Amino acid sequence: KFPRASAIKVVDISGGCGAMYEIHIESEEFREKRTVQQHQMVNQALSEEIKHMHGLRIFTSAPK
């Protein structure tokens, strides 16, 4: 969903249930966008997957 991403990391933080994740994405697509806009992009890209999650932490950034 983020072809220009320079780094993507997904961590299962559920403690065993497999339904809570932490996602770190570094992508040029986030440059000059506010954090809320970046997170909306991730939420939209994962809209189907999110339906089956208990929780999701999103960390986004543009490359330096």
Side-chain angles (χ1 to χ4, degrees):
K1 306 283 184 175
F2 294 94
R4 295 172 54 197
S6 53
I8 296 178
K9 179 180 176 184
V10 179
V11 180
D12 181 346
I13 58 170
S14 66
C17 75
M20 188 163 183
Y21 299 93
E22 185 174 282
I23 298 175
H24 300 260
I25 303 174
E26 180 179 272
S27 178
E28 190 62 41
E29 295 159 283
F30 297 140
R31 189 165 308 283
E32 298 184 15
K33 289 189 171 49
R34 296 178 317 195
T35 302
V36 70
Q37 292 171 312
Q38 296 172 13
H39 289 200
Q40 287 170 338
M41 291 169 67
V42 175
N43 281 321
Q44 183 178 8
L46 298 174
S47 61
E48 286 302 312
E49 292 84 354
I50 287 173
K51 293 177 185 177
H52 306 287
M53 293 180 190
H54 290 277
L56 177 64
R57 285 191 216 158
I58 301 171
F59 298 90
T60 55
S61 63
K64 293 182 181 181

